[in-house]
Amino acid sequence: MAARRTRPPQPLAPHGLPGHLVEFVEALRGQGISVGPSETVDAGQVMAALGLSNREVLREGLACAVLRRSDHRDTYDALFDLWWPAALGDRTVLDEDSDPEADGEPQGLPPEDVEAMRAMLLDLLSENEDLANMDQRLAAMVAQIVEQYGKYNSSRGPSYSSYQALKSMALDELEGKLLAGLLAPYGDAPTPTQEEIAKALAAQRISQIRKMVESETKRRTAEQLGRDHVQMYGIPQLSENVEFLRASGEQLRQMRKTVQPLARTLATRLAAKRRRHRAGQIDLRKTLRKSMSTGGVPIDVVMAKPRPARPELVVLCDVSGSVAGFSHFTLLLVSALRQQFSRVRVFAFIDTTDEVTHMFGPEADLAVAVQRITRESEVYTRDGHSDYGHAFVSFLQKYPNVLSPRSSLLVLGDGRNNYRNPEVELLTRMVNASRHAHWLNPEPRHLWGSGDSAVPRYADAITMHECRSARQLASVIDGLLPV
């Protein structure tokens, strides 16, 4: 008979379930997910209606109550796993109610033999077509993988590493074997469609195993070091909070999905600002003239008609590899806000400036447009490394009449000039020729001036703004939009 799983007694929530739910909501807010009092009340009602018997049902119910945006789901799921864990303790031994011999499996889990562990994991993956409805043996297998191969000793005592556990399982090799098993029923000559389906299924199951191992590692770490420790390092950031210069390719793709909602939000704020400014300022001259009919007492105040400004926008952006993600995102956002300006002209550079406005037409696919810049435009004519000085020189030589008193100049880049001549005088001339001029920099402020950064010299000529994330960028652009 298999040994019974032993679990430590589950600790009570300090303030009961209502207090635990409130703490969970506060954790969501701490990650940037907006959850108001009404959503919290709704979550409490959902919990009362659904109960705690089915964890996945509770997960979906609370998500419906507290989430407003689908791109916040990954962060929500990670926090839910911390605050409503699937188990406590090791959970590496099967319940005595299970009957592994009924399925022809050996008693218990395999010994500490990595090859045997991989073989059994492969069998379990093959048996579980839908890992969302995985059997208990697969969950116990993942727990044992983390216990045996992800555990290590640290200064704080025993700790767990998902990387170490996954490396021991050689998932790439396992995926190949799983794919071969999925293709076996089709014989020696499967069709291309069958191959694609099998590859997708194998990749999906291996990806799910990775997520299960990472989730189990976080659960154990939270038990040992506390939820705060895992929240600090193990919770995926919201896409709008990810720093541009540290974002992965997948994170940048997620960030681009937020461009249109962000543009709508900024446009709504701008419309509200314009409504507040619609009354205009007091026309003192007309007010005094009108007061002559009332003995000089200004009973009726005459307001000056507002003249909303819609300046031309000139965007000069660095599209070199170091800041490409930031520049592309900002270009997408500016293009989405083009209706707030009378005209938008876009210029890109690496070491030479070229106009790319035609790539950002009203009907253009913006994601495709930013990819066309480096392929089709002349943004580098030298060695392909950032050269802001030569970019300013080529801009003024090729487009001397672009900037005018109606223009707003927006420079995008980190100001790293590879120790070349920064041509600050030319930037000063460009700023003086414009009505407004601002520089958006994706680097942290404390790095300005380090290494080959010419930002301190440029900051003497133009207003410099730190824009490390989409949230920070939206805040800056919100303040710069014309009212």
Side-chain angles (χ1 to χ4, degrees):
M1 182 177 66
R4 186 176 182 83
R5 179 189 294 124
T6 59
R7 296 179 180 176
Q10 185 173 359
L12 296 175
H15 306 289
L17 280 178
H20 191 71
L21 176 61
V22 170
E23 291 176 354
F24 173 60
V25 168
E26 290 176 351
L28 292 173
R29 292 172 181 164
Q31 293 295 323
I33 299 177
S34 178
V35 184
S38 61
E39 286 89 352
T40 306
V41 173
D42 292 342
Q45 294 175 340
V46 166
M47 183 182 295
L50 299 179
L52 304 178
S53 59
N54 191 318
R55 182 169 174 266
E56 292 307 314
V57 170
L58 179 64
R59 181 198 298 269
E60 299 302 324
L62 292 181
C64 292
V66 302
L67 290 184
R68 303 177 185 178
R69 292 171 49 181
S70 59
D71 56 320
H72 291 173
R73 184 58 192 256
D74 289 344
T75 303
Y76 165 84
D77 282 337
L79 285 172
F80 182 90
D81 289 337
L82 279 183
W83 289 86
W84 313 92
L88 295 173
D90 293 340
R91 74 166 187 180
T92 58
V93 183
L94 293 177
D95 289 333
E96 60 183 5
D97 297 334
S98 62
D99 186 9
E101 291 183 343
D103 297 327
E105 296 291 347
Q107 286 279 352
L109 294 175
E112 295 185 10
D113 181 350
V114 66
E115 292 299 332
M117 186 77 79
R118 291 172 185 166
M120 188 169 184
L121 179 59
L122 179 61
D123 292 340
L124 291 175
L125 287 175
S126 302
E127 294 171 3
N128 287 267
E129 296 183 1
D130 185 3
L131 292 184
N133 299 321
M134 61 186 177
D135 63 21
Q136 200 173 35
R137 293 183 62 79
L138 184 55
M141 168 66 78
V142 169
Q144 188 168 352
I145 290 172
V146 173
E147 176 68 23
Q148 293 184 1
Y149 304 106
K151 191 174 183 178
Y152 67 96
N153 292 321
S154 67
S155 58
R156 298 186 179 184
S159 297
Y160 299 92
S161 166
S162 59
Y163 171 79
Q164 190 170 301
L166 291 170
K167 183 179 179 181
S168 67
M169 289 296 101
L171 291 187
D172 291 338
E173 179 183 344
L174 202 65
E175 184 175 354
K177 294 180 180 179
L178 180 60
L179 176 60
L182 293 173
L183 290 175
Y186 303 119
D188 296 333
T191 65
T193 301
Q194 292 170 339
E195 287 185 357
E196 290 299 322
I197 293 175
K199 288 179 181 178
L201 286 175
Q204 180 184 14
R205 295 182 189 180
I206 293 298
S207 175
Q208 188 65 22
I209 284 294
R210 292 181 190 274
K211 292 180 180 179
M212 291 172 64
V213 171
E214 291 171 357
S215 178
E216 178 68 14
T217 303
K218 291 176 184 177
R219 182 187 70 80
R220 291 171 178 245
T221 303
E223 281 188 14
Q224 184 158 353
L225 302 179
R227 284 190 291 256
D228 293 340
H229 179 82
V230 179
Q231 281 184 234
M232 188 177 301
Y233 301 105
I235 301 299
Q237 288 183 300
L238 300 182
S239 57
E240 59 263 34
N241 292 335
V242 176
E243 293 189 11
F244 290 110
L245 300 186
R246 297 184 179 181
S248 64
E250 178 60 28
Q251 287 174 325
L252 287 174
R253 283 190 290 273
Q254 292 296 327
M255 290 165 65
R256 292 184 187 119
K257 294 180 182 179
T258 67
V259 168
Q260 291 299 333
L262 188 58
R264 287 194 296 269
T265 300
L266 293 176
T268 302
R269 292 178 184 173
L270 181 60
K273 286 182 181 179
R274 286 178 173 169
R275 282 195 299 271
R276 290 195 296 268
H277 287 76
R278 188 170 296 169
Q281 297 179 344
I282 296 176
D283 189 326
L284 186 59
R285 181 179 179 182
K286 291 184 178 180
T287 299
L288 292 177
R289 286 179 63 86
K290 192 168 186 177
S291 68
M292 299 299 292
S293 62
T294 56
V297 180
I299 295 177
D300 296 324
V301 178
V302 180
M303 309 300 293
K305 292 183 179 180
R307 297 180 179 179
R310 294 188 65 195
E312 298 177 357
L313 180 63
V314 177
V315 182
L316 189 61
C317 62
D318 179 3
V319 293
S320 61
S322 60
V323 292
F326 164 72
S327 295
H328 291 174
F329 182 87
T330 309
L331 285 176
L332 294 177
L333 183 58
V334 169
S335 297
L337 292 169
R338 64 170 56 249
Q339 293 182 351
Q340 310 303 328
F341 302 92
S342 60
R343 187 181 184 186
V344 177
R345 298 187 68 176
V346 182
F347 299 85
F349 69 89
I350 293 179
D351 58 34
T352 303
T353 303
D354 192 19
E355 184 168 9
V356 294
T357 307
H358 61 282
M359 299 183 185
F360 293 87
E363 304 299 327
D365 186 332
L366 301 182
V368 174
V370 295
Q371 296 174 359
R372 292 174 54 196
I373 291 177
T374 53
R375 294 200 310 263
E376 302 179 16
S377 58
E378 296 181 0
V379 292
Y380 59 91
T381 57
R382 294 187 169 188
D383 58 2
H385 294 88
S386 295
D387 188 343
Y388 283 74
H390 188 261
F392 296 153
V393 170
S394 60
F395 174 77
L396 291 176
Q397 288 178 348
K398 296 166 65 175
Y399 313 101
N401 300 319
V402 168
L403 298 175
S404 69
R406 288 181 51 84
S407 303
S408 291
L409 175 64
L410 191 64
V411 183
L412 313 177
D414 58 4
R416 294 200 171 272
N417 204 39
N418 292 296
Y419 301 102
R420 294 167 177 170
N421 184 359
E423 299 288 357
V424 179
E425 298 80 4
L426 296 183
L427 178 62
T428 303
R429 189 194 309 175
M430 294 162 59
V431 171
N432 292 336
S434 308
R435 181 178 181 180
H436 304 290
H438 300 273
W439 187 311
L440 308 186
N441 192 331
E443 276 199 335
R445 190 177 297 272
H446 68 271
L447 294 180
W448 294 0
S450 63
D452 61 346
S453 174
V455 170
R457 298 183 63 182
Y458 288 137
D460 293 335
I462 189 172
T463 304
M464 190 80 62
H465 303 273
E466 180 188 66
C467 297
R468 297 163 59 183
S469 65
R471 186 185 296 273
Q472 201 172 15
L473 174 64
S475 177
V476 171
I477 291 184
D478 185 29
L480 300 182
L481 285 174
V483 178

